[in-house]
Structure formats: structure tokens, C-alpha cells
Amino acid sequence: MDAMNSVATEPDEPQLAEPHLRAVLASAGLDVEYVRAEGNTLHMRGEDGREIPVVDFAGGYGSLLLGHNHPVITAYAKQLLDAATPVHAQFSLHPEANRLAVALNRIVRRELGDDEPYLAIFANSGAEANEAAVKHAELDRVLRLEAQLEKVGKSFEAAGYAVRGGKATVPDTTWEGAGLTAPRPQDPTEALGVLVDALTRRNAEQAARPPVFLAPEGSFHGKLVGSVQLTHNEAYRAPFKSLAAQARFVPVNRPGAVQRVIDEERASLLGLTVTGGRVEIRRHEAPVICAFILEPIQGEGGIQELTREFAEEIQSACAAIDCPVVVDEIQSGMGRTGTFLASSDIGLRGDYYTLAKSLGGGLVKTSVLLVRESRYRGQFELIHSSTFAKDGFSSLVALKVLDLVEADGGAVYREAGERGARLKDMLHAVHKDYPEVVKDVRGKGLMLGIEFHDQSDAPAPPVQEAARAGLFGYLLAGHLLRGHRIRTFPTASAANTLRFEPSVLLTDAEIQQLDTGLRDICDIVRGNYGRPLSLPAPPA
């Protein structure tokens, strides 16, 4: 405790660490200091310095499937540190990382019912894993484009041999099909030369088009330079739109939407073929669409689930144009929804998977990109790297996490499903009793959300002002914290939706505590304005 006090900010110290965010936290009553954590409980410091327990339903934004400071994980981490396990041993063999990749493959392939292996690229955070996915997909696209251009070039050569050998001519239909309006030269060789020049220029224009990524509306994949462009929330994306490849956002769970966007964005290269003595144009798919990236359950988008039908449409449409599907399981994976991969429950098979958050057991910062072997480009390993990725300490802790979630035939998965169902039943009961306040309950397992109706016209000025400023969810979170000792937040891109991502250690008493808190705020929002949303300082 003395060591912790030694780093506490003194009253006269300047606020230099994200001071604007500190002011936002204060406005919502969320400016508290947490000093200790275990299981589902965080302890905040009261005004008199004493610890006040708070039930943590935010769960590290989905990072704490096994809870804060799980005793087995922390004991193992201490053991590794005592053994002086290397952290910095870059550009050498990393057997621990390979063991982790093998363990992940065993679980993923079991869930998918497929024997094709996935090769692993390690990183430090979910956003970094998604950035690696974007980079790998773009490398793959560029190499596929080069191969297509080479194939088209060989088709030009083959047509030239046929024409010069008197075995083929260029008919008017081919000339017009290339968009040429000038009269076709009578000499076949000259006509072919003009045709090839025109197709080469057109193909060069198509090949120079920037890559396009597809993602569902409501997506969130990080806030780094590349990943932020895949995040639907324009407030996060727009200031940086000139820095990276752009995305097209597809309406969620709308039949035909994926194919319509693909048809609008797809491109082609024009080659030649000789059929029956005629030189004809042959169209080849140009890989302009780089990847389709999605979350099976959108976290920051308001806990929105993708349907099986939508997943099938994505899979089918992307396969038809050889476009990889990147499945972001950073929040939903690791068993949080009752299966290791939430996507496996809707029949979706990714070409890439990204995992993070709970992979580190709530202790280490680690993540991984898994790429299906038939998609993998080995040269990526030499042009992409990360200082802290695949270190022995983090890899071994992640292996211990996998041991824990897989133990007893996947008891953690079953517990996540059972505890999640119990929590969701409670949320549905609140929805049923307060339909004019609560709009919807969504999610699966221990990744749940409750959406409130818009309160922009609420009679109570504080509620109305917060709603119009997009801070209604933070006002509710502040009341739950100060009035009920419950920690949660709204989802980043859907501020009227509160998230609930606790650990599998969730108890019935903690669910009841949340029930009481939610009913209290529903009573206040519904009309009990004599008792305002509470934002007092924590009591002693």
C-alpha cells in the first residue's frame, strides 16, 4: 500500500496525463482511482483513503474472462519472473510462441471441424493484430494482382504469336469491346498492337486503384492509423481519413447488401484469348477489394450480433472474388460467448482471425493474428515485426490461460454460457418492466448490452443535456458507480447502450446488485425526477 501511495498524484502536481479525458471523467462522476483488484471486484480509493469495493461489469472491455489477478495466472507469472524468463530475445527461436500457436490451432480447428492449419503472427494489442491483418491482406492482394497482370501479359504474347503466324485476326467485336472508336487497321498485326496498347493502359489504371476494405456498419477494429479506417464511427475515423486505405461499410444483416457493395467496388483486368481464329477479350477479376473484416458480435457498435444468414452471404460473396474474410474475435473470442470463437456459432469460417484481450489473462499485453495456411505469405515475417511480440513471458502466460479455459472439457465455456444466460434473463426482466426506458437487450454469453431509448427530450434538464451531448450512457454509468458501486460504460459508438462483460466468476449476488442499480436508474429516467441521478463523491 505504501508503494502505491508513493505514486499517487499530489494535489499541487500539474495534470499532464490526458487532462482533457480527466475532465470528461469528472463530468460523469467516473474520476475515481482504483488501487486493488481481484475476481470481479475493483477497489476504489475513498476520500479518507479507505478502499471501497466496486463490482466490475466492464471487465477490461472484455479482457477479463477469468477475472482480475487470477491466482493461478499471477502465481505462474511470478514463477516465470523468478526464473528470469526472457522478454527481449528478438530475432531468435521462440518455442513458447510456437507452442501457443499449436495450442490455438488445436482449439480453432476443433471448433471449425477443419484440418487446415493457421499460421501465427504475434502482436501486443487487438488494434495491432488488426493492423497486421490489414498489412498481410494488402501484401497478399498486391502479389495476387501482380500474378494477374503477368497472366494477362502472357495472354497478349500468345495472341501476338497467333496473329503473326496467320492463325488469328482481330474482329470488330473485340475492337469495340476494348472501347476503341478509331477505325481498325487492316493489318492484323498492327490492329493487335493498338488493341494491346489500349488494354495495357486500361489495366494499368485499374491496377493503380487504391485498395478497398469492406466492413459492416457499426464496426470497431481499433484506433491506429489503419484500423481506425475500419471503424465505422466517423468521429474516430474522419480526422485521419487521408492517412490510410478507405473502407466501405455494409448495412448489417440486410440481405443482398454485401453483393451490392462488392459489385460497386469490384474491378477487372482485360486479357486476350484466341478462339476459332478470333482474338477475343477475356475478363479477369482484379483484386481491388482487399478484405472483409468483421466482428461476429460488435462490441463498440452496441453489442450487435451478426446473423447466420449475413455470415453466409459474406462467406459466399467473398469466396466468389477470392477476397479474404478477417474475423475480429478480440472482444468476443476466448470463450466469452460460450464457444472459443463467437463466429463458429454462426457458421462463419475466417481466412484470418485476430485474438487479444482475454488471451493475456488480464495480466499480459499480447495478441495474435492467425492466417489460414493457403492464404499465408511467408515473406510477411521479414517486413513486419513488433518489439514485444511473441516474447517468452507473454507466450507462456497465454498458454496458461488456454489451459484454464480448456480445463475440465471446457468448463469455462459452459460457465460463460450459463452465467451469461442468467445475466441476460435479468436484463430482459428490466426491459419488460421498463419498456418506455429500455429499448433492447442484446448479446450472448458474457458479452451483453442494454440499450436505452433516446432521452433528448426528457423533462429533466440534466438527462436531456447529457443525451443531446451524446453522454447519456456515461451519466448512467456515473450513477451506477457512485450510487450502487457498479462499474460499467456505454459502448464507444452507441452511447445509449451499456455494456456488461464480467468474468465467469460472476455471482448471483452481483447480478442482483446490478438489477437493483438498473431499476433505480430506470425509475429516475421514467419520471422520479425528485431523486436525480447521483454523482456524489465516494463515501468514506
Side-chain angles (χ1 to χ4, degrees):
M1 196 68 179
D2 289 341
M4 295 173 68
N5 285 332
S6 69
V7 298
T9 301
E10 297 299 327
D12 59 345
E13 286 184 341
Q15 301 301 321
L16 303 180
E18 299 185 334
H20 179 71
L21 178 59
R22 183 186 180 98
V24 172
L25 291 173
S27 70
L30 297 170
D31 55 332
V32 300
E33 177 191 0
Y34 294 102
V35 295
R36 192 164 57 86
E38 75 281 327
N40 276 331
T41 304
L42 277 163
H43 297 266
M44 66 182 178
R45 191 191 302 278
E47 288 185 337
D48 63 354
R50 287 193 300 169
E51 295 181 0
I52 302 169
V54 174
V55 180
D56 186 7
F57 277 92
Y61 300 117
S63 298
L64 297 167
L65 181 66
L66 301 176
H68 290 277
N69 292 315
H70 189 286
V72 173
I73 299 173
T74 54
Y76 186 56
K78 291 176 182 177
Q79 177 185 332
L80 294 176
L81 292 172
D82 288 342
T85 302
V87 173
H88 291 282
Q90 298 90 340
F91 216 71
S92 65
L93 298 180
H94 291 272
E96 303 91 349
N98 189 66
R99 286 171 53 200
L100 178 56
V102 170
L104 286 165
N105 262 271
R106 184 171 60 250
I107 300 169
V108 169
R109 290 159 69 182
R110 180 192 68 213
E111 283 212 353
L112 298 179
D114 194 317
D115 288 337
E116 183 174 3
Y118 284 78
L119 306 184
I121 298 290
F122 289 94
N124 305 299
S125 69
E128 189 184 342
N130 284 336
E131 294 267 328
V134 166
K135 287 179 65 179
H136 188 284
E138 174 60 3
L139 174 64
D140 178 58
R141 186 192 74 86
V142 168
L143 293 175
R144 287 186 290 123
L145 179 60
E146 291 175 353
Q148 285 286 57
L149 288 169
E150 183 179 359
K151 183 177 181 180
V152 166
K154 289 181 177 179
S155 78
F156 293 162
E157 294 175 3
Y161 289 137
V163 169
R164 289 191 296 272
K167 297 180 180 179
T169 59
V170 179
D172 290 340
T173 53
T174 300
W175 189 260
E176 294 163 359
L180 295 170
T181 56
R184 177 174 60 83
Q186 293 301 309
D187 180 72
T189 299
E190 184 181 348
L192 180 66
V194 174
L195 175 64
V196 167
D197 286 345
L199 294 183
T200 299
R201 287 193 299 273
R202 180 202 176 275
N203 289 342
E205 291 174 358
Q206 293 296 302
R209 285 179 55 180
V212 175
F213 290 85
L214 304 183
E217 292 179 353
S219 291
F220 182 94
H221 300 288
K223 295 180 182 177
L224 301 181
V225 170
S227 56
V228 76
Q229 297 304 329
L230 310 172
T231 292
H232 186 226
N233 189 327
E234 192 171 4
Y236 299 140
R237 178 169 40 87
F240 314 105
K241 64 185 299 182
S242 63
L243 295 181
Q246 302 301 294
R248 281 289 306 272
F249 295 99
V250 181
V252 177
N253 298 333
R254 188 178 301 175
V258 176
Q259 192 60 56
R260 281 193 294 274
V261 172
I262 285 177
D263 289 343
E264 291 168 5
E265 294 291 344
R266 70 194 305 178
S268 61
L269 302 175
L270 299 183
L272 296 174
T273 186
V274 177
T275 305
R278 296 161 56 91
V279 175
E280 297 179 344
I281 291 175
R282 182 176 180 182
R283 193 173 296 270
H284 302 264
E285 187 75 34
V288 169
I289 301 175
C290 190
F292 196 120
I293 183 167
L294 60 90
E295 306 153 272
I297 302 177
Q298 294 181 341
E300 306 308 327
I303 317 296
Q304 304 282 355
E305 296 179 74
L306 302 191
T307 64
R308 178 175 288 269
E309 293 73 22
F310 190 55
E312 289 174 353
E313 182 178 347
I314 293 169
Q315 194 106 62
S316 175
C318 288
I321 61 167
D322 196 25
C323 169
V325 175
V326 181
V327 183
D328 177 345
E329 292 271 8
I330 289 162
Q331 273 196 61
S332 59
M334 295 296 299
R336 177 160 292 280
T337 65
T339 51
F340 187 79
L341 300 172
S343 53
S344 67
D345 198 46
I346 56 174
L348 181 64
R349 183 201 180 189
D351 297 294
Y352 299 13
Y353 290 95
T354 54
L355 292 162
K357 293 190 182 292
S358 286
L359 180 63
L363 192 63
V364 299
K365 300 173 179 66
T366 189
S367 63
V368 67
L369 163 65
L370 300 174
V371 183
R372 190 151 55 99
E373 185 179 46
S374 55
R375 283 274 181 191
Y376 191 72
R377 300 288 187 171
Q379 58 265 57
F380 184 74
E381 300 168 22
L382 300 178
I383 56 177
H384 175 86
S385 63
S386 178
T387 298
F388 285 92
K390 71 180 180 184
D391 68 277
F393 177 70
S394 297
S395 297
L396 288 169
V397 170
L399 271 166
K400 179 61 70 174
V401 172
L402 293 185
D403 288 343
L404 291 172
V405 299
E406 288 279 296
D408 300 323
V412 164
Y413 309 140
R414 296 191 295 274
E415 192 72 6
E418 188 277 325
R419 291 284 81 196
R422 172 73 181 86
L423 178 58
K424 194 172 186 180
D425 285 345
M426 181 275 285
L427 297 176
H428 276 304
V430 173
H431 181 202
K432 180 180 178 182
D433 292 344
Y434 297 89
E436 72 278 30
V437 178
V438 177
K439 183 177 181 179
D440 196 14
V441 171
R442 295 184 295 271
K444 186 175 182 184
L446 291 171
M447 187 174 180
L448 301 174
I450 185 168
E451 181 182 2
F452 292 84
H453 288 290
D454 178 44
Q455 299 296 324
S456 297
D457 296 320
V463 174
Q464 182 186 106
E465 291 169 11
R468 292 183 177 181
L471 298 174
F472 176 65
Y474 292 97
L475 189 68
L476 299 183
H479 180 79
L480 287 172
L481 175 62
R482 301 290 187 160
H484 296 275
R485 304 295 172 254
I486 290 168
R487 172 179 160 88
T488 192
F489 305 110
T491 55
S493 300
N496 284 355
T497 299
L498 291 181
R499 72 198 317 143
F500 305 106
E501 300 182 58
S503 80
V504 292
L505 305 174
L506 182 68
T507 66
D508 287 344
E510 290 166 340
I511 293 174
Q512 181 57 52
Q513 186 174 342
L514 178 61
D515 182 49
T516 300
L518 289 174
R519 289 176 182 276
D520 182 34
I521 61 176
C522 286
D523 280 335
I524 295 171
V525 172
R526 183 163 66 176
N528 187 2
Y529 300 118
R531 184 164 52 83
L533 289 168
S534 171
L535 299 177

